Amino acid sequence: ILKSLGAVVLGAVVCFCFSGRILGLLTYPYEQAVLSLETDRTPGVVGAMQQLVEGWLHAGGVTTPDSLAQPTQIPPHRRLQSLRPMTYFMVSMEVGLWGGVVLALPVILYQVWMFVAPGLLRRERRLVLPVLALSVGCFALGAMVAYWLVLPLGLRFFLAMEPAGMTSQWAVDQYISFVVRLTLGFGLVFELPVLSLLLSRLGLVTPQLLRRVRRYSIVVIFVVAAVLTPPDPISQTLMALPLLLLYEVSIWVSSLSQRRADLASALGAGL
């Protein structure tokens, strides 16, 4: 615990020193959403989604008159604002803390494994490096999906629903909390296949069990999505859908692990 806390504190100090750049990275999706919607004053929700998908398909490689006319600065009525004297300091602290947790994630996972490893068999302890690498990779993949796919969709949806003449200045601390919570939530839920692999190799979970409890798992997935995301149906649905897909992937991973275990047992019996 002390080693994990030490790694978090060290990571938090590093992230706090670079909090300005990290904040710029976190506010980038909002700025891009605002700038793209300002090109068409009233795109509507469907039009905003269409703009985003077209931007993904073209990947910014085609220059059109509309893109040349796109504004380069956030309009005053759309800028993020600070509502309290210590807002920027508290936001920097939040960014530093959660950034420290992310940086310290490999150390935390390794320390957790070292805590449970003495109670495992030798063949089970061999899972440490694969599980550790997969855990970090899946967390990074989930965070990237949230940042590059889910967040732009959600922001354009919310901004497009606001009336054209409305002054909409979101509080910067609430926006940063929204982005951090969504990104970390997706990173955590993308650990589901890794957890399924680990439990399957330990003999605690089987694909038959996962298929049998699928109906109950769907309910649990939507509850988890409601807890890990801000209280709006769009974010919850955008998290629940990947979770459903990841659950099916977990069944496949568990089946693959079981087949490999059965094959190893058969070879051992033959020898």
Side-chain angles (χ1 to χ4, degrees), residues 23-40 43 48 51-52 55-56 59-60 67 70-75 78 80 147-148 151-157 159-160 170 175:
L23 286 174
L25 185 66
L26 296 179
T27 56
Y28 176 79
Y30 173 79
E31 295 172 355
Q32 292 301 306
V34 170
L35 292 177
S36 66
L37 293 179
E38 285 296 317
T39 304
D40 187 350
Q51 286 182 5
L52 179 61
W56 286 341
S67 63
Q70 183 175 341
T72 58
Q73 293 184 351
I74 304 296
R78 289 289 197 183
L80 298 173
Y147 184 83
W148 291 110
L151 187 59
L153 281 172
L155 292 176
R156 281 164 175 76
F157 178 85
L159 290 171
W170 295 359
Y175 168 78

Short mmCIF file of all heavy atoms in Angstrom, two decimals, residues 23-40 43 48 51-52 55-56 59-60 67 70-75 78 80 147-148 151-157 159-160 170 175:
data_model
loop_
_atom_site.label_atom_id
_atom_site.label_comp_id
_atom_site.label_asym_id
_atom_site.label_seq_id
_atom_site.Cartn_x
_atom_site.Cartn_y
_atom_site.Cartn_z
N LEU A 23 -4.47 20.16 -19.07
CA LEU A 23 -5.76 20.83 -19.20
C LEU A 23 -6.04 21.20 -20.66
O LEU A 23 -7.17 21.12 -21.13
CB LEU A 23 -5.80 22.08 -18.32
CG LEU A 23 -5.95 21.84 -16.81
CD1 LEU A 23 -5.81 23.15 -16.05
CD2 LEU A 23 -7.29 21.20 -16.51
N GLY A 24 -4.99 21.64 -21.36
CA GLY A 24 -5.16 21.93 -22.78
C GLY A 24 -5.56 20.70 -23.56
O GLY A 24 -6.39 20.77 -24.48
N LEU A 25 -5.00 19.55 -23.20
CA LEU A 25 -5.37 18.30 -23.86
C LEU A 25 -6.81 17.91 -23.55
O LEU A 25 -7.54 17.42 -24.43
CB LEU A 25 -4.41 17.19 -23.40
CG LEU A 25 -4.56 15.83 -24.08
CD1 LEU A 25 -4.20 15.91 -25.54
CD2 LEU A 25 -3.69 14.78 -23.38
N LEU A 26 -7.25 18.14 -22.31
CA LEU A 26 -8.61 17.78 -21.92
C LEU A 26 -9.66 18.71 -22.51
O LEU A 26 -10.80 18.29 -22.75
CB LEU A 26 -8.72 17.76 -20.40
CG LEU A 26 -7.87 16.71 -19.66
CD1 LEU A 26 -8.06 16.83 -18.16
CD2 LEU A 26 -8.22 15.30 -20.12
N THR A 27 -9.31 19.97 -22.71
CA THR A 27 -10.27 20.92 -23.28
C THR A 27 -10.26 20.91 -24.80
O THR A 27 -11.13 21.53 -25.42
CB THR A 27 -9.97 22.35 -22.79
OG1 THR A 27 -8.61 22.69 -23.12
CG2 THR A 27 -10.17 22.46 -21.29
N TYR A 28 -9.31 20.22 -25.41
CA TYR A 28 -9.23 20.18 -26.88
C TYR A 28 -10.50 19.63 -27.52
O TYR A 28 -10.99 20.21 -28.51
CB TYR A 28 -8.01 19.36 -27.30
CG TYR A 28 -7.88 19.18 -28.80
CD1 TYR A 28 -7.36 20.20 -29.59
CD2 TYR A 28 -8.26 17.98 -29.40
CE1 TYR A 28 -7.24 20.03 -30.97
CE2 TYR A 28 -8.15 17.81 -30.77
CZ TYR A 28 -7.63 18.83 -31.55
OH TYR A 28 -7.52 18.66 -32.90
N PRO A 29 -11.08 18.50 -27.04
CA PRO A 29 -12.33 18.03 -27.67
C PRO A 29 -13.45 19.04 -27.61
O PRO A 29 -14.24 19.16 -28.57
CB PRO A 29 -12.66 16.76 -26.86
CG PRO A 29 -11.36 16.32 -26.30
CD PRO A 29 -10.61 17.57 -26.00
N TYR A 30 -13.56 19.78 -26.51
CA TYR A 30 -14.61 20.80 -26.40
C TYR A 30 -14.38 21.91 -27.43
O TYR A 30 -15.32 22.35 -28.10
CB TYR A 30 -14.63 21.38 -24.99
CG TYR A 30 -15.57 22.55 -24.83
CD1 TYR A 30 -16.94 22.34 -24.69
CD2 TYR A 30 -15.11 23.86 -24.85
CE1 TYR A 30 -17.81 23.41 -24.56
CE2 TYR A 30 -15.96 24.93 -24.72
CZ TYR A 30 -17.32 24.71 -24.57
OH TYR A 30 -18.18 25.78 -24.46
N GLU A 31 -13.14 22.36 -27.54
CA GLU A 31 -12.84 23.43 -28.49
C GLU A 31 -13.14 23.00 -29.92
O GLU A 31 -13.71 23.76 -30.70
CB GLU A 31 -11.38 23.85 -28.35
CG GLU A 31 -11.05 24.47 -27.00
CD GLU A 31 -9.57 24.70 -26.81
OE1 GLU A 31 -8.80 24.28 -27.72
OE2 GLU A 31 -9.18 25.30 -25.79
N GLN A 32 -12.77 21.77 -30.26
CA GLN A 32 -13.04 21.28 -31.61
C GLN A 32 -14.53 21.14 -31.86
O GLN A 32 -15.02 21.42 -32.96
CB GLN A 32 -12.33 19.94 -31.81
CG GLN A 32 -10.82 20.03 -31.84
CD GLN A 32 -10.33 20.96 -32.94
OE1 GLN A 32 -10.69 20.79 -34.12
NE2 GLN A 32 -9.52 21.94 -32.58
N ALA A 33 -15.28 20.71 -30.85
CA ALA A 33 -16.74 20.58 -31.01
C ALA A 33 -17.38 21.94 -31.23
O ALA A 33 -18.24 22.11 -32.10
CB ALA A 33 -17.33 19.90 -29.78
N VAL A 34 -16.95 22.94 -30.45
CA VAL A 34 -17.51 24.28 -30.60
C VAL A 34 -17.17 24.86 -31.97
O VAL A 34 -18.03 25.41 -32.67
CB VAL A 34 -17.00 25.20 -29.48
CG1 VAL A 34 -17.38 26.65 -29.76
CG2 VAL A 34 -17.56 24.76 -28.14
N LEU A 35 -15.92 24.74 -32.38
CA LEU A 35 -15.49 25.32 -33.66
C LEU A 35 -16.21 24.66 -34.83
O LEU A 35 -16.59 25.34 -35.80
CB LEU A 35 -13.98 25.18 -33.81
CG LEU A 35 -13.13 26.01 -32.85
CD1 LEU A 35 -11.65 25.72 -33.05
CD2 LEU A 35 -13.40 27.50 -33.03
N SER A 36 -16.40 23.36 -34.77
CA SER A 36 -17.09 22.69 -35.87
C SER A 36 -18.55 23.07 -35.94
O SER A 36 -19.12 23.22 -37.02
CB SER A 36 -16.94 21.18 -35.74
OG SER A 36 -17.63 20.72 -34.57
N LEU A 37 -19.19 23.26 -34.78
CA LEU A 37 -20.60 23.64 -34.76
C LEU A 37 -20.79 25.10 -35.13
O LEU A 37 -21.86 25.48 -35.63
CB LEU A 37 -21.21 23.36 -33.38
CG LEU A 37 -21.32 21.88 -32.99
CD1 LEU A 37 -21.91 21.74 -31.60
CD2 LEU A 37 -22.15 21.11 -34.00
N GLU A 38 -19.81 25.95 -34.89
CA GLU A 38 -19.93 27.36 -35.25
C GLU A 38 -19.90 27.57 -36.75
O GLU A 38 -20.33 28.60 -37.25
CB GLU A 38 -18.79 28.17 -34.59
CG GLU A 38 -18.99 28.40 -33.11
CD GLU A 38 -20.21 29.24 -32.80
OE1 GLU A 38 -20.42 30.24 -33.51
OE2 GLU A 38 -20.96 28.88 -31.88
N THR A 39 -19.38 26.58 -37.51
CA THR A 39 -19.40 26.68 -38.96
C THR A 39 -20.83 26.72 -39.47
O THR A 39 -21.17 27.48 -40.37
CB THR A 39 -18.64 25.49 -39.58
OG1 THR A 39 -17.32 25.47 -39.05
CG2 THR A 39 -18.58 25.62 -41.09
N ASP A 40 -21.68 25.90 -38.89
CA ASP A 40 -23.11 25.89 -39.18
C ASP A 40 -23.83 26.29 -37.91
O ASP A 40 -23.82 25.56 -36.93
CB ASP A 40 -23.55 24.51 -39.65
CG ASP A 40 -25.00 24.50 -40.14
OD1 ASP A 40 -25.69 25.51 -39.95
OD2 ASP A 40 -25.42 23.48 -40.72
N PRO A 43 -26.90 23.43 -36.72
CA PRO A 43 -26.83 22.13 -37.38
C PRO A 43 -27.84 21.12 -36.87
O PRO A 43 -28.19 20.18 -37.57
CB PRO A 43 -25.40 21.68 -37.09
CG PRO A 43 -25.08 22.32 -35.77
CD PRO A 43 -25.81 23.64 -35.77
N ALA A 48 -25.01 17.69 -36.37
CA ALA A 48 -23.75 17.68 -35.62
C ALA A 48 -23.09 16.31 -35.69
O ALA A 48 -21.88 16.19 -35.87
CB ALA A 48 -24.00 18.07 -34.17
N GLN A 51 -21.65 15.87 -39.18
CA GLN A 51 -20.39 16.61 -39.33
C GLN A 51 -19.22 15.83 -38.73
O GLN A 51 -18.14 15.74 -39.33
CB GLN A 51 -20.50 17.98 -38.65
CG GLN A 51 -21.33 18.99 -39.41
CD GLN A 51 -21.36 20.33 -38.71
OE1 GLN A 51 -20.68 20.53 -37.70
NE2 GLN A 51 -22.15 21.26 -39.22
N LEU A 52 -19.43 15.26 -37.56
CA LEU A 52 -18.36 14.53 -36.90
C LEU A 52 -17.96 13.29 -37.69
O LEU A 52 -16.77 13.02 -37.90
CB LEU A 52 -18.78 14.13 -35.48
CG LEU A 52 -17.76 13.34 -34.67
CD1 LEU A 52 -16.48 14.15 -34.48
CD2 LEU A 52 -18.34 12.93 -33.33
N GLY A 55 -16.07 14.22 -40.72
CA GLY A 55 -14.70 14.60 -40.36
C GLY A 55 -13.83 13.39 -40.12
O GLY A 55 -12.65 13.37 -40.50
N TRP A 56 -14.39 12.33 -39.49
CA TRP A 56 -13.63 11.09 -39.29
C TRP A 56 -13.30 10.43 -40.63
O TRP A 56 -12.19 9.94 -40.83
CB TRP A 56 -14.41 10.12 -38.42
CG TRP A 56 -14.45 10.50 -36.98
CD1 TRP A 56 -13.59 11.35 -36.34
CD2 TRP A 56 -15.37 10.05 -35.99
NE1 TRP A 56 -13.93 11.46 -35.02
CE2 TRP A 56 -15.02 10.67 -34.77
CE3 TRP A 56 -16.47 9.20 -36.01
CZ2 TRP A 56 -15.71 10.45 -33.58
CZ3 TRP A 56 -17.17 8.96 -34.84
CH2 TRP A 56 -16.79 9.60 -33.63
N ALA A 59 -10.81 12.57 -42.40
CA ALA A 59 -9.59 12.66 -41.58
C ALA A 59 -8.84 13.96 -41.78
O ALA A 59 -7.62 14.03 -41.68
CB ALA A 59 -8.67 11.48 -41.88
N GLY A 60 -9.60 15.02 -42.08
CA GLY A 60 -8.98 16.33 -42.20
C GLY A 60 -8.13 16.49 -43.45
O GLY A 60 -7.40 17.47 -43.58
N SER A 67 -14.49 24.52 -44.58
CA SER A 67 -13.41 24.39 -43.61
C SER A 67 -12.56 25.65 -43.58
O SER A 67 -12.02 26.02 -42.54
CB SER A 67 -12.54 23.18 -43.95
OG SER A 67 -11.92 23.34 -45.21
N GLN A 70 -14.24 28.18 -41.36
CA GLN A 70 -14.44 27.79 -39.97
C GLN A 70 -13.69 28.74 -39.04
O GLN A 70 -12.52 29.05 -39.27
CB GLN A 70 -13.94 26.36 -39.76
CG GLN A 70 -14.17 25.84 -38.35
CD GLN A 70 -13.79 24.38 -38.22
OE1 GLN A 70 -13.69 23.68 -39.22
NE2 GLN A 70 -13.57 23.94 -37.01
N PRO A 71 -14.33 29.22 -37.97
CA PRO A 71 -13.65 30.13 -37.04
C PRO A 71 -12.50 29.45 -36.34
O PRO A 71 -12.48 28.23 -36.18
CB PRO A 71 -14.77 30.51 -36.06
CG PRO A 71 -15.76 29.39 -36.15
CD PRO A 71 -15.71 28.94 -37.58
N THR A 72 -11.51 30.24 -35.93
CA THR A 72 -10.31 29.71 -35.29
C THR A 72 -10.27 30.02 -33.80
O THR A 72 -9.36 29.58 -33.11
CB THR A 72 -9.05 30.28 -35.96
OG1 THR A 72 -9.09 31.71 -35.89
CG2 THR A 72 -8.98 29.84 -37.42
N GLN A 73 -11.22 30.80 -33.29
CA GLN A 73 -11.27 31.15 -31.88
C GLN A 73 -12.65 30.81 -31.31
O GLN A 73 -13.67 30.92 -32.01
CB GLN A 73 -10.97 32.63 -31.67
CG GLN A 73 -9.54 33.02 -32.00
CD GLN A 73 -9.26 34.48 -31.68
OE1 GLN A 73 -10.17 35.24 -31.37
NE2 GLN A 73 -8.00 34.86 -31.75
N ILE A 74 -12.64 30.43 -30.04
CA ILE A 74 -13.90 30.12 -29.37
C ILE A 74 -14.69 31.40 -29.15
O ILE A 74 -14.16 32.39 -28.60
CB ILE A 74 -13.65 29.43 -28.01
CG1 ILE A 74 -12.78 28.18 -28.20
CG2 ILE A 74 -14.96 29.06 -27.34
CD1 ILE A 74 -13.41 27.11 -29.03
N PRO A 75 -15.96 31.45 -29.58
CA PRO A 75 -16.76 32.65 -29.35
C PRO A 75 -16.92 32.92 -27.85
O PRO A 75 -16.89 31.99 -27.03
CB PRO A 75 -18.11 32.30 -29.99
CG PRO A 75 -17.81 31.19 -30.94
CD PRO A 75 -16.68 30.42 -30.34
N ARG A 78 -19.29 30.87 -25.73
CA ARG A 78 -19.05 29.43 -25.65
C ARG A 78 -17.81 29.08 -24.82
O ARG A 78 -17.47 27.92 -24.70
CB ARG A 78 -18.87 28.86 -27.06
CG ARG A 78 -20.13 28.82 -27.91
CD ARG A 78 -21.10 27.76 -27.42
NE ARG A 78 -22.10 27.44 -28.43
CZ ARG A 78 -23.10 26.59 -28.25
NH1 ARG A 78 -23.23 25.98 -27.10
NH2 ARG A 78 -23.97 26.35 -29.21
N LEU A 80 -15.25 28.26 -21.79
CA LEU A 80 -15.31 27.72 -20.44
C LEU A 80 -14.98 28.82 -19.44
O LEU A 80 -14.17 29.71 -19.71
CB LEU A 80 -14.30 26.57 -20.28
CG LEU A 80 -14.53 25.35 -21.18
CD1 LEU A 80 -13.37 24.38 -21.04
CD2 LEU A 80 -15.84 24.66 -20.84
N TYR A 147 -11.80 9.23 -25.32
CA TYR A 147 -11.31 10.56 -25.71
C TYR A 147 -11.57 10.87 -27.17
O TYR A 147 -11.96 11.99 -27.51
CB TYR A 147 -9.82 10.64 -25.41
CG TYR A 147 -9.21 12.00 -25.67
CD1 TYR A 147 -9.30 13.01 -24.71
CD2 TYR A 147 -8.55 12.27 -26.86
CE1 TYR A 147 -8.75 14.26 -24.95
CE2 TYR A 147 -7.99 13.51 -27.10
CZ TYR A 147 -8.09 14.51 -26.15
OH TYR A 147 -7.55 15.74 -26.40
N TRP A 148 -11.35 9.88 -28.05
CA TRP A 148 -11.43 10.15 -29.47
C TRP A 148 -12.79 9.86 -30.09
O TRP A 148 -13.11 10.40 -31.17
CB TRP A 148 -10.37 9.34 -30.21
CG TRP A 148 -8.97 9.79 -29.94
CD1 TRP A 148 -8.02 9.12 -29.21
CD2 TRP A 148 -8.33 11.01 -30.34
NE1 TRP A 148 -6.85 9.84 -29.15
CE2 TRP A 148 -7.01 11.01 -29.84
CE3 TRP A 148 -8.77 12.12 -31.09
CZ2 TRP A 148 -6.12 12.05 -30.05
CZ3 TRP A 148 -7.89 13.16 -31.31
CH2 TRP A 148 -6.59 13.13 -30.81
N LEU A 151 -16.32 10.99 -26.33
CA LEU A 151 -16.36 12.38 -25.90
C LEU A 151 -16.75 13.34 -27.02
O LEU A 151 -17.62 14.20 -26.81
CB LEU A 151 -15.00 12.77 -25.30
CG LEU A 151 -14.92 14.15 -24.64
CD1 LEU A 151 -15.93 14.26 -23.51
CD2 LEU A 151 -13.51 14.39 -24.11
N PRO A 152 -16.16 13.25 -28.23
CA PRO A 152 -16.63 14.14 -29.31
C PRO A 152 -18.10 13.96 -29.64
O PRO A 152 -18.81 14.94 -29.89
CB PRO A 152 -15.73 13.74 -30.50
CG PRO A 152 -14.50 13.20 -29.87
CD PRO A 152 -14.96 12.49 -28.64
N LEU A 153 -18.57 12.70 -29.65
CA LEU A 153 -20.00 12.48 -29.92
C LEU A 153 -20.87 13.11 -28.85
O LEU A 153 -21.85 13.80 -29.15
CB LEU A 153 -20.28 10.97 -29.99
CG LEU A 153 -19.92 10.26 -31.29
CD1 LEU A 153 -20.07 8.75 -31.13
CD2 LEU A 153 -20.80 10.75 -32.44
N GLY A 154 -20.52 12.88 -27.58
CA GLY A 154 -21.31 13.44 -26.49
C GLY A 154 -21.31 14.95 -26.47
O GLY A 154 -22.37 15.59 -26.29
N LEU A 155 -20.15 15.57 -26.67
CA LEU A 155 -20.07 17.03 -26.64
C LEU A 155 -20.88 17.66 -27.77
O LEU A 155 -21.59 18.65 -27.56
CB LEU A 155 -18.61 17.47 -26.73
CG LEU A 155 -17.74 17.15 -25.52
CD1 LEU A 155 -16.29 17.55 -25.78
CD2 LEU A 155 -18.26 17.86 -24.26
N ARG A 156 -20.78 17.12 -28.96
CA ARG A 156 -21.55 17.67 -30.07
C ARG A 156 -23.04 17.47 -29.86
O ARG A 156 -23.85 18.32 -30.26
CB ARG A 156 -21.09 17.02 -31.39
CG ARG A 156 -19.79 17.63 -31.91
CD ARG A 156 -19.15 16.75 -32.98
NE ARG A 156 -17.98 17.37 -33.58
CZ ARG A 156 -16.79 17.46 -33.03
NH1 ARG A 156 -16.61 16.95 -31.82
NH2 ARG A 156 -15.79 18.05 -33.63
N PHE A 157 -23.41 16.37 -29.26
CA PHE A 157 -24.83 16.14 -28.97
C PHE A 157 -25.36 17.19 -28.00
O PHE A 157 -26.41 17.80 -28.23
CB PHE A 157 -25.02 14.74 -28.41
CG PHE A 157 -26.44 14.41 -28.04
CD1 PHE A 157 -27.32 13.94 -28.99
CD2 PHE A 157 -26.89 14.58 -26.73
CE1 PHE A 157 -28.64 13.65 -28.65
CE2 PHE A 157 -28.20 14.29 -26.40
CZ PHE A 157 -29.08 13.81 -27.36
N LEU A 159 -24.03 20.17 -27.16
CA LEU A 159 -23.94 21.53 -27.69
C LEU A 159 -25.00 21.78 -28.75
O LEU A 159 -25.55 22.89 -28.82
CB LEU A 159 -22.55 21.78 -28.26
CG LEU A 159 -21.40 21.87 -27.24
CD1 LEU A 159 -20.06 21.88 -27.95
CD2 LEU A 159 -21.56 23.11 -26.37
N ALA A 160 -25.27 20.80 -29.59
CA ALA A 160 -26.25 20.98 -30.66
C ALA A 160 -27.67 21.11 -30.12
O ALA A 160 -28.53 21.67 -30.80
CB ALA A 160 -26.16 19.83 -31.66
N TRP A 170 -19.88 26.82 -20.04
CA TRP A 170 -19.79 25.72 -19.08
C TRP A 170 -18.73 26.02 -18.03
O TRP A 170 -17.70 26.64 -18.33
CB TRP A 170 -19.44 24.43 -19.80
CG TRP A 170 -20.50 23.96 -20.76
CD1 TRP A 170 -21.70 24.55 -21.03
CD2 TRP A 170 -20.43 22.80 -21.60
NE1 TRP A 170 -22.39 23.85 -21.96
CE2 TRP A 170 -21.65 22.76 -22.33
CE3 TRP A 170 -19.49 21.80 -21.78
CZ2 TRP A 170 -21.92 21.75 -23.24
CZ3 TRP A 170 -19.76 20.78 -22.69
CH2 TRP A 170 -20.97 20.76 -23.41
N TYR A 175 -16.68 20.61 -16.31
CA TYR A 175 -16.31 19.99 -17.58
C TYR A 175 -15.13 19.04 -17.40
O TYR A 175 -15.15 17.91 -17.92
CB TYR A 175 -15.96 21.07 -18.61
CG TYR A 175 -15.29 20.51 -19.85
CD1 TYR A 175 -16.04 19.87 -20.83
CD2 TYR A 175 -13.90 20.57 -20.00
CE1 TYR A 175 -15.42 19.32 -21.94
CE2 TYR A 175 -13.29 20.03 -21.11
CZ TYR A 175 -14.05 19.41 -22.09
OH TYR A 175 -13.43 18.86 -23.18
#
